[in-house]
Amino acid sequence: MNIPFVDLSAIHKPLTEEFVAVFHRVLERSCFVLGPEVQEFEAAFAKYVGVEHCVTSSNGTTALQLALGALNIGPGDEVITVPNTFIATAEAVSAVGAKPVFVDVDPVSYNMDPAKVEAAITPRTRALLPVHLYGQTADLDALAEIARKHGLFLIEDACQAHGSEYRGRKAGSVGIAGCFSFYPGKNLGALGEGGAITTNDAALAQKMRMLRDHGSLRKYEHAVPGFNYRMEGMQGGFLRVKLPHLDGWNQQRREIASIYCARFANTGVVAPKEMAYGKHIYHLYVVQVENRETVQKELGAAGVATGLHYPVPLHLQQAYKELGYAEGSFPVSEKLAKRILSLPMYPGMSADAAEYVAAKVVECSELQLAAAAR
Ligand SMILES: *Cc1c(COP(=O)(O)O)cnc(C)c1O
């Protein structure tokens, strides 16, 4: 059996005709950038997340930049985030001229540990930027309480959490702003690049709309120097076609996850844990195993494709060397980086395929556990 890591064709094939209709509509109207298709998607996505406003952008990284920039976070400011994330989270902080400050994560949820945040707050701290890693939210009530107490903004990096929930509220609806990526492989993906910010703050939404379009709300009137971070008309249309299917796709991911979790119980494979506060939508299904490199190689030989999210924590990346963090600064993130392994996970994956993957993962990891014990 050959199991790919992801397969987007399974979800896209049945929608082909609707995508072609979007192409024809956009071509007909010549609304290639922003325009009605993007506006309709913004309204639909705001409703889905349960907020007043959605401002789309060119990708998830620029969505984060727009949120930070519109909150006037810049040079001299610090933003607290986590080291076990995709580099875009920290890059957005750097891009607005602020400094990323890392705190370690909780060993069970893999998300920002509220107990470690206060020690990292300084007079320069302006915001908390937790990441809802792999599709499960951080402990948002605890983080919101810290933010409130210290007068900080809470910004959610929800780029892996479309449809995930925290105590019944959708990811992206709890903080002042929620930032999403529609990179094709995300749970809701464009057929190209895309991003969005969700918020209940009308003034913030207005500022982000302005910044994404050259600091302008009316053509050739520029209130501030901005950017070109606009979404393409076609991507808005494609996303509008896909959005009604998101919950069903997330449900399929949860079913694959429940097969995996059942098979990994009472084995040496450490399965992800769905926290009591939330609903995990398994953007990635990540286990911990002993001798990860060997397990990954043997799975590859058995036809099971896997990934690593992420093998090097950000504080140990060359790009962030200047921040001066030594190895050992964030023991939970560092330990996870050596043990994590992402398994195949996508809507349309068959139960048989999931059973096969699970059996091979257990087999390979038990061999390595036995080897480690010798
Ligand atoms: C994908 C991702 C981003 C960046 O999104 P792009 O659309 O690729 O720019 C940011 N943060 C996290 C956690 C992501 O997974």
Side-chain angles (χ1 to χ4, degrees), residues 58-64 84-91 131-134 157-160 179-184 186 193-195 283-284 310:
S58 49
N59 58 58
T61 311
T62 55
L64 287 160
N84 65 331
T85 177
F86 183 54
I87 193 163
T89 312
E91 274 177 329
V131 178
H132 304 325
L133 199 70
Y134 308 149
D157 182 337
C159 288
Q160 302 190 359
C179 302
F180 291 86
S181 163
F182 304 119
Y183 186 76
K186 308 284 169 144
E193 304 263 8
H283 170 59
L284 293 164
Y310 297 87

mmCIF file of all heavy atoms in Angstrom, residues 58-64 84-91 131-134 157-160 179-184 186 193-195 283-284 310, ligand 1:
data_model
loop_
_atom_site.group_PDB
_atom_site.id
_atom_site.type_symbol
_atom_site.label_atom_id
_atom_site.label_comp_id
_atom_site.label_asym_id
_atom_site.label_seq_id
_atom_site.Cartn_x
_atom_site.Cartn_y
_atom_site.Cartn_z
ATOM 1 N N SER A 58 -3.307 38.520 1.121
ATOM 2 C CA SER A 58 -2.637 37.722 0.095
ATOM 3 C C SER A 58 -2.175 36.365 0.591
ATOM 4 O O SER A 58 -1.992 35.438 -0.202
ATOM 5 C CB SER A 58 -1.457 38.518 -0.463
ATOM 6 O OG SER A 58 -0.674 39.043 0.598
ATOM 7 N N ASN A 59 -1.965 36.206 1.898
ATOM 8 C CA ASN A 59 -1.584 34.904 2.485
ATOM 9 C C ASN A 59 -1.644 35.021 4.008
ATOM 10 O O ASN A 59 -1.970 36.090 4.533
ATOM 11 C CB ASN A 59 -0.192 34.449 1.989
ATOM 12 C CG ASN A 59 0.900 35.456 2.295
ATOM 13 O OD1 ASN A 59 1.128 35.810 3.443
ATOM 14 N ND2 ASN A 59 1.562 35.941 1.248
ATOM 15 N N GLY A 60 -1.321 33.942 4.697
ATOM 16 C CA GLY A 60 -1.409 33.946 6.157
ATOM 17 C C GLY A 60 -0.355 34.818 6.812
ATOM 18 O O GLY A 60 -0.598 35.434 7.855
ATOM 19 N N THR A 61 0.813 34.878 6.201
ATOM 20 C CA THR A 61 1.893 35.687 6.763
ATOM 21 C C THR A 61 1.518 37.169 6.721
ATOM 22 O O THR A 61 1.705 37.896 7.707
ATOM 23 C CB THR A 61 3.203 35.454 5.978
ATOM 24 O OG1 THR A 61 3.400 34.042 5.842
ATOM 25 C CG2 THR A 61 4.388 36.048 6.693
ATOM 26 N N THR A 62 0.947 37.614 5.592
ATOM 27 C CA THR A 62 0.563 39.026 5.506
ATOM 28 C C THR A 62 -0.682 39.309 6.358
ATOM 29 O O THR A 62 -0.856 40.427 6.839
ATOM 30 C CB THR A 62 0.328 39.472 4.044
ATOM 31 O OG1 THR A 62 -0.632 38.610 3.430
ATOM 32 C CG2 THR A 62 1.618 39.447 3.246
ATOM 33 N N ALA A 63 -1.515 38.298 6.588
ATOM 34 C CA ALA A 63 -2.648 38.473 7.514
ATOM 35 C C ALA A 63 -2.107 38.808 8.903
ATOM 36 O O ALA A 63 -2.584 39.743 9.566
ATOM 37 C CB ALA A 63 -3.508 37.211 7.561
ATOM 38 N N LEU A 64 -1.101 38.066 9.347
ATOM 39 C CA LEU A 64 -0.477 38.349 10.652
ATOM 40 C C LEU A 64 0.149 39.743 10.660
ATOM 41 O O LEU A 64 0.008 40.497 11.626
ATOM 42 C CB LEU A 64 0.594 37.291 10.960
ATOM 43 C CG LEU A 64 0.085 35.894 11.340
ATOM 44 C CD1 LEU A 64 1.168 34.836 11.131
ATOM 45 C CD2 LEU A 64 -0.380 35.884 12.795
ATOM 46 N N ASN A 84 7.715 26.509 18.773
ATOM 47 C CA ASN A 84 7.365 25.318 17.971
ATOM 48 C C ASN A 84 6.242 25.644 16.995
ATOM 49 O O ASN A 84 5.108 25.200 17.141
ATOM 50 C CB ASN A 84 6.952 24.144 18.880
ATOM 51 C CG ASN A 84 5.675 24.435 19.635
ATOM 52 O OD1 ASN A 84 5.386 25.587 19.932
ATOM 53 N ND2 ASN A 84 4.911 23.404 19.921
ATOM 54 N N THR A 85 6.554 26.445 16.018
ATOM 55 C CA THR A 85 5.570 26.815 15.006
ATOM 56 C C THR A 85 6.278 26.985 13.679
ATOM 57 O O THR A 85 7.512 26.941 13.613
ATOM 58 C CB THR A 85 4.835 28.123 15.396
ATOM 59 O OG1 THR A 85 3.930 28.503 14.343
ATOM 60 C CG2 THR A 85 5.808 29.267 15.633
ATOM 61 N N PHE A 86 5.489 27.187 12.619
ATOM 62 C CA PHE A 86 6.071 27.525 11.330
ATOM 63 C C PHE A 86 6.676 28.922 11.451
ATOM 64 O O PHE A 86 6.131 29.789 12.140
ATOM 65 C CB PHE A 86 4.985 27.481 10.243
ATOM 66 C CG PHE A 86 5.508 27.756 8.871
ATOM 67 C CD1 PHE A 86 6.567 27.028 8.357
ATOM 68 C CD2 PHE A 86 4.948 28.752 8.083
ATOM 69 C CE1 PHE A 86 7.065 27.277 7.088
ATOM 70 C CE2 PHE A 86 5.429 29.011 6.807
ATOM 71 C CZ PHE A 86 6.493 28.271 6.320
ATOM 72 N N ILE A 87 7.765 29.150 10.768
ATOM 73 C CA ILE A 87 8.532 30.399 10.964
ATOM 74 C C ILE A 87 7.717 31.659 10.649
ATOM 75 O O ILE A 87 8.010 32.740 11.168
ATOM 76 C CB ILE A 87 9.844 30.372 10.163
ATOM 77 C CG1 ILE A 87 10.761 31.524 10.627
ATOM 78 C CG2 ILE A 87 9.571 30.404 8.658
ATOM 79 C CD1 ILE A 87 12.206 31.395 10.236
ATOM 80 N N ALA A 88 6.659 31.526 9.839
ATOM 81 C CA ALA A 88 5.858 32.699 9.459
ATOM 82 C C ALA A 88 5.314 33.451 10.669
ATOM 83 O O ALA A 88 5.178 34.681 10.625
ATOM 84 C CB ALA A 88 4.705 32.267 8.551
ATOM 85 N N THR A 89 4.984 32.738 11.752
ATOM 86 C CA THR A 89 4.445 33.398 12.948
ATOM 87 C C THR A 89 5.429 34.459 13.443
ATOM 88 O O THR A 89 5.055 35.618 13.669
ATOM 89 C CB THR A 89 4.213 32.368 14.073
ATOM 90 O OG1 THR A 89 3.523 31.237 13.549
ATOM 91 C CG2 THR A 89 3.423 32.967 15.217
ATOM 92 N N ALA A 90 6.691 34.069 13.598
ATOM 93 C CA ALA A 90 7.713 34.992 14.103
ATOM 94 C C ALA A 90 8.126 35.994 13.028
ATOM 95 O O ALA A 90 8.402 37.161 13.328
ATOM 96 C CB ALA A 90 8.925 34.205 14.597
ATOM 97 N N GLU A 91 8.160 35.542 11.786
ATOM 98 C CA GLU A 91 8.545 36.442 10.682
ATOM 99 C C GLU A 91 7.627 37.652 10.586
ATOM 100 O O GLU A 91 8.078 38.761 10.260
ATOM 101 C CB GLU A 91 8.454 35.701 9.340
ATOM 102 C CG GLU A 91 9.685 34.931 8.977
ATOM 103 C CD GLU A 91 9.463 34.180 7.671
ATOM 104 O OE1 GLU A 91 8.316 33.785 7.377
ATOM 105 O OE2 GLU A 91 10.437 33.975 6.953
ATOM 106 N N VAL A 131 -0.300 30.183 18.923
ATOM 107 C CA VAL A 131 -0.563 29.459 17.677
ATOM 108 C C VAL A 131 -1.457 28.268 18.022
ATOM 109 O O VAL A 131 -1.181 27.563 18.991
ATOM 110 C CB VAL A 131 0.764 28.949 17.067
ATOM 111 C CG1 VAL A 131 0.499 28.147 15.800
ATOM 112 C CG2 VAL A 131 1.709 30.115 16.792
ATOM 113 N N HIS A 132 -2.519 28.063 17.260
ATOM 114 C CA HIS A 132 -3.382 26.892 17.486
ATOM 115 C C HIS A 132 -2.795 25.743 16.671
ATOM 116 O O HIS A 132 -3.276 25.393 15.588
ATOM 117 C CB HIS A 132 -4.809 27.197 17.055
ATOM 118 C CG HIS A 132 -5.394 28.403 17.737
ATOM 119 N ND1 HIS A 132 -5.111 28.736 19.042
ATOM 120 C CD2 HIS A 132 -6.263 29.347 17.291
ATOM 121 C CE1 HIS A 132 -5.777 29.842 19.371
ATOM 122 N NE2 HIS A 132 -6.479 30.230 18.323
ATOM 123 N N LEU A 133 -1.737 25.146 17.219
ATOM 124 C CA LEU A 133 -0.909 24.215 16.451
ATOM 125 C C LEU A 133 -1.644 22.916 16.109
ATOM 126 O O LEU A 133 -2.314 22.346 16.972
ATOM 127 C CB LEU A 133 0.368 23.905 17.234
ATOM 128 C CG LEU A 133 1.516 23.339 16.404
ATOM 129 C CD1 LEU A 133 2.108 24.397 15.477
ATOM 130 C CD2 LEU A 133 2.603 22.759 17.301
ATOM 131 N N TYR A 134 -1.479 22.486 14.906
ATOM 132 C CA TYR A 134 -2.019 21.215 14.374
ATOM 133 C C TYR A 134 -3.549 21.192 14.289
ATOM 134 O O TYR A 134 -4.129 20.171 13.944
ATOM 135 C CB TYR A 134 -1.561 19.999 15.200
ATOM 136 C CG TYR A 134 -0.079 19.886 15.438
ATOM 137 C CD1 TYR A 134 0.408 19.294 16.613
ATOM 138 C CD2 TYR A 134 0.845 20.327 14.500
ATOM 139 C CE1 TYR A 134 1.764 19.163 16.844
ATOM 140 C CE2 TYR A 134 2.211 20.209 14.724
ATOM 141 C CZ TYR A 134 2.665 19.629 15.903
ATOM 142 O OH TYR A 134 4.018 19.497 16.132
ATOM 143 N N ASP A 157 -2.958 33.077 16.060
ATOM 144 C CA ASP A 157 -2.479 32.508 14.801
ATOM 145 C C ASP A 157 -3.315 31.252 14.564
ATOM 146 O O ASP A 157 -3.021 30.177 15.100
ATOM 147 C CB ASP A 157 -0.984 32.181 14.851
ATOM 148 C CG ASP A 157 -0.469 31.632 13.510
ATOM 149 O OD1 ASP A 157 -1.298 31.115 12.731
ATOM 150 O OD2 ASP A 157 0.745 31.713 13.247
ATOM 151 N N ALA A 158 -4.392 31.430 13.790
ATOM 152 C CA ALA A 158 -5.338 30.341 13.521
ATOM 153 C C ALA A 158 -5.094 29.730 12.142
ATOM 154 O O ALA A 158 -5.995 29.136 11.556
ATOM 155 C CB ALA A 158 -6.766 30.864 13.644
ATOM 156 N N CYS A 159 -3.860 29.872 11.648
ATOM 157 C CA CYS A 159 -3.537 29.405 10.292
ATOM 158 C C CYS A 159 -3.682 27.897 10.122
ATOM 159 O O CYS A 159 -3.749 27.397 9.002
ATOM 160 C CB CYS A 159 -2.124 29.836 9.908
ATOM 161 S SG CYS A 159 -1.998 31.606 9.582
ATOM 162 N N GLN A 160 -3.719 27.149 11.247
ATOM 163 C CA GLN A 160 -3.906 25.693 11.158
ATOM 164 C C GLN A 160 -5.230 25.283 11.798
ATOM 165 O O GLN A 160 -5.421 24.102 12.100
ATOM 166 C CB GLN A 160 -2.744 24.969 11.867
ATOM 167 C CG GLN A 160 -1.383 25.328 11.294
ATOM 168 C CD GLN A 160 -0.250 24.449 11.817
ATOM 169 O OE1 GLN A 160 -0.449 23.558 12.636
ATOM 170 N NE2 GLN A 160 0.957 24.701 11.323
ATOM 171 N N CYS A 179 -5.901 35.223 12.751
ATOM 172 C CA CYS A 179 -5.248 35.249 11.441
ATOM 173 C C CYS A 179 -5.264 33.857 10.811
ATOM 174 O O CYS A 179 -4.887 32.880 11.452
ATOM 175 C CB CYS A 179 -3.815 35.738 11.584
ATOM 176 S SG CYS A 179 -3.753 37.380 12.320
ATOM 177 N N PHE A 180 -5.705 33.800 9.567
ATOM 178 C CA PHE A 180 -5.853 32.530 8.852
ATOM 179 C C PHE A 180 -5.002 32.525 7.588
ATOM 180 O O PHE A 180 -4.812 33.559 6.939
ATOM 181 C CB PHE A 180 -7.317 32.321 8.445
ATOM 182 C CG PHE A 180 -8.229 32.068 9.613
ATOM 183 C CD1 PHE A 180 -8.788 33.126 10.308
ATOM 184 C CD2 PHE A 180 -8.522 30.762 10.022
ATOM 185 C CE1 PHE A 180 -9.636 32.891 11.394
ATOM 186 C CE2 PHE A 180 -9.365 30.528 11.102
ATOM 187 C CZ PHE A 180 -9.924 31.597 11.788
ATOM 188 N N SER A 181 -4.557 31.324 7.217
ATOM 189 C CA SER A 181 -3.891 31.099 5.933
ATOM 190 C C SER A 181 -4.784 30.193 5.094
ATOM 191 O O SER A 181 -5.381 29.254 5.619
ATOM 192 C CB SER A 181 -2.552 30.394 6.154
ATOM 193 O OG SER A 181 -2.083 29.821 4.929
ATOM 194 N N PHE A 182 -4.872 30.492 3.811
ATOM 195 C CA PHE A 182 -5.580 29.594 2.892
ATOM 196 C C PHE A 182 -4.598 28.962 1.911
ATOM 197 O O PHE A 182 -4.937 28.710 0.753
ATOM 198 C CB PHE A 182 -6.699 30.353 2.157
ATOM 199 C CG PHE A 182 -7.682 31.016 3.080
ATOM 200 C CD1 PHE A 182 -7.861 32.389 3.061
ATOM 201 C CD2 PHE A 182 -8.412 30.270 4.000
ATOM 202 C CE1 PHE A 182 -8.758 33.023 3.915
ATOM 203 C CE2 PHE A 182 -9.310 30.882 4.865
ATOM 204 C CZ PHE A 182 -9.481 32.262 4.823
ATOM 205 N N TYR A 183 -3.389 28.714 2.366
ATOM 206 C CA TYR A 183 -2.426 27.943 1.575
ATOM 207 C C TYR A 183 -3.116 26.625 1.197
ATOM 208 O O TYR A 183 -3.884 26.089 1.998
ATOM 209 C CB TYR A 183 -1.168 27.704 2.436
ATOM 210 C CG TYR A 183 -0.045 27.060 1.697
ATOM 211 C CD1 TYR A 183 0.743 27.793 0.808
ATOM 212 C CD2 TYR A 183 0.235 25.694 1.858
ATOM 213 C CE1 TYR A 183 1.772 27.186 0.107
ATOM 214 C CE2 TYR A 183 1.271 25.095 1.164
ATOM 215 C CZ TYR A 183 2.035 25.849 0.285
ATOM 216 O OH TYR A 183 3.049 25.252 -0.409
ATOM 217 N N PRO A 184 -2.856 26.102 -0.007
ATOM 218 C CA PRO A 184 -3.658 24.963 -0.480
ATOM 219 C C PRO A 184 -3.764 23.778 0.494
ATOM 220 O O PRO A 184 -4.814 23.149 0.572
ATOM 221 C CB PRO A 184 -2.933 24.554 -1.763
ATOM 222 C CG PRO A 184 -2.315 25.823 -2.263
ATOM 223 C CD PRO A 184 -1.917 26.598 -1.035
ATOM 224 N N LYS A 186 -3.898 23.775 3.758
ATOM 225 C CA LYS A 186 -4.580 24.019 5.041
ATOM 226 C C LYS A 186 -5.992 23.419 4.994
ATOM 227 O O LYS A 186 -6.484 23.087 3.917
ATOM 228 C CB LYS A 186 -4.649 25.519 5.323
ATOM 229 C CG LYS A 186 -3.313 26.240 5.230
ATOM 230 C CD LYS A 186 -2.404 25.988 6.429
ATOM 231 C CE LYS A 186 -1.015 26.522 6.138
ATOM 232 N NZ LYS A 186 -0.317 27.115 7.255
ATOM 233 N N GLU A 193 -2.485 31.150 -3.265
ATOM 234 C CA GLU A 193 -2.245 31.773 -1.958
ATOM 235 C C GLU A 193 -3.488 32.514 -1.473
ATOM 236 O O GLU A 193 -4.304 32.979 -2.274
ATOM 237 C CB GLU A 193 -1.100 32.788 -2.064
ATOM 238 C CG GLU A 193 0.206 32.223 -2.598
ATOM 239 C CD GLU A 193 1.192 31.846 -1.512
ATOM 240 O OE1 GLU A 193 0.828 31.880 -0.322
ATOM 241 O OE2 GLU A 193 2.330 31.503 -1.871
ATOM 242 N N GLY A 194 -3.599 32.676 -0.166
ATOM 243 C CA GLY A 194 -4.675 33.477 0.409
ATOM 244 C C GLY A 194 -4.553 33.538 1.917
ATOM 245 O O GLY A 194 -3.878 32.704 2.530
ATOM 246 N N GLY A 195 -5.185 34.551 2.512
ATOM 247 C CA GLY A 195 -5.181 34.682 3.967
ATOM 248 C C GLY A 195 -6.332 35.568 4.397
ATOM 249 O O GLY A 195 -7.024 36.153 3.552
ATOM 250 N N HIS A 283 -5.555 19.477 11.562
ATOM 251 C CA HIS A 283 -4.827 19.914 10.363
ATOM 252 C C HIS A 283 -3.656 18.955 10.140
ATOM 253 O O HIS A 283 -3.393 18.528 9.014
ATOM 254 C CB HIS A 283 -4.335 21.346 10.528
ATOM 255 C CG HIS A 283 -3.383 21.758 9.448
ATOM 256 N ND1 HIS A 283 -3.734 21.735 8.117
ATOM 257 C CD2 HIS A 283 -2.084 22.154 9.492
ATOM 258 C CE1 HIS A 283 -2.693 22.118 7.393
ATOM 259 N NE2 HIS A 283 -1.684 22.356 8.192
ATOM 260 N N LEU A 284 -3.001 18.601 11.240
ATOM 261 C CA LEU A 284 -1.941 17.592 11.196
ATOM 262 C C LEU A 284 -2.198 16.605 12.327
ATOM 263 O O LEU A 284 -2.669 16.993 13.394
ATOM 264 C CB LEU A 284 -0.571 18.245 11.386
ATOM 265 C CG LEU A 284 -0.119 19.183 10.250
ATOM 266 C CD1 LEU A 284 1.046 20.056 10.711
ATOM 267 C CD2 LEU A 284 0.288 18.377 9.013
ATOM 268 N N TYR A 310 7.592 20.744 13.779
ATOM 269 C CA TYR A 310 8.664 21.197 12.913
ATOM 270 C C TYR A 310 9.968 20.681 13.498
ATOM 271 O O TYR A 310 10.087 20.632 14.728
ATOM 272 C CB TYR A 310 8.635 22.724 12.824
ATOM 273 C CG TYR A 310 7.311 23.171 12.177
ATOM 274 C CD1 TYR A 310 6.183 23.366 12.962
ATOM 275 C CD2 TYR A 310 7.201 23.307 10.794
ATOM 276 C CE1 TYR A 310 4.962 23.715 12.369
ATOM 277 C CE2 TYR A 310 5.986 23.668 10.203
ATOM 278 C CZ TYR A 310 4.881 23.854 11.000
ATOM 279 O OH TYR A 310 3.682 24.172 10.422
HETATM 280 C C1 LIG B 1 0.737 28.281 7.155
HETATM 281 C C2 LIG B 1 1.041 29.038 8.404
HETATM 282 C C3 LIG B 1 1.345 30.418 8.396
HETATM 283 C C4 LIG B 1 1.577 31.205 7.132
HETATM 284 O O1 LIG B 1 0.638 31.136 6.167
HETATM 285 P P1 LIG B 1 1.029 31.403 4.624
HETATM 286 O O2 LIG B 1 -0.282 31.479 3.958
HETATM 287 O O3 LIG B 1 1.855 30.239 4.175
HETATM 288 O O4 LIG B 1 1.781 32.680 4.569
HETATM 289 C C5 LIG B 1 1.500 31.056 9.611
HETATM 290 N N1 LIG B 1 1.412 30.394 10.767
HETATM 291 C C6 LIG B 1 1.165 29.080 10.826
HETATM 292 C C7 LIG B 1 1.066 28.400 12.145
HETATM 293 C C8 LIG B 1 0.995 28.350 9.646
HETATM 294 O O5 LIG B 1 0.772 27.026 9.703
#
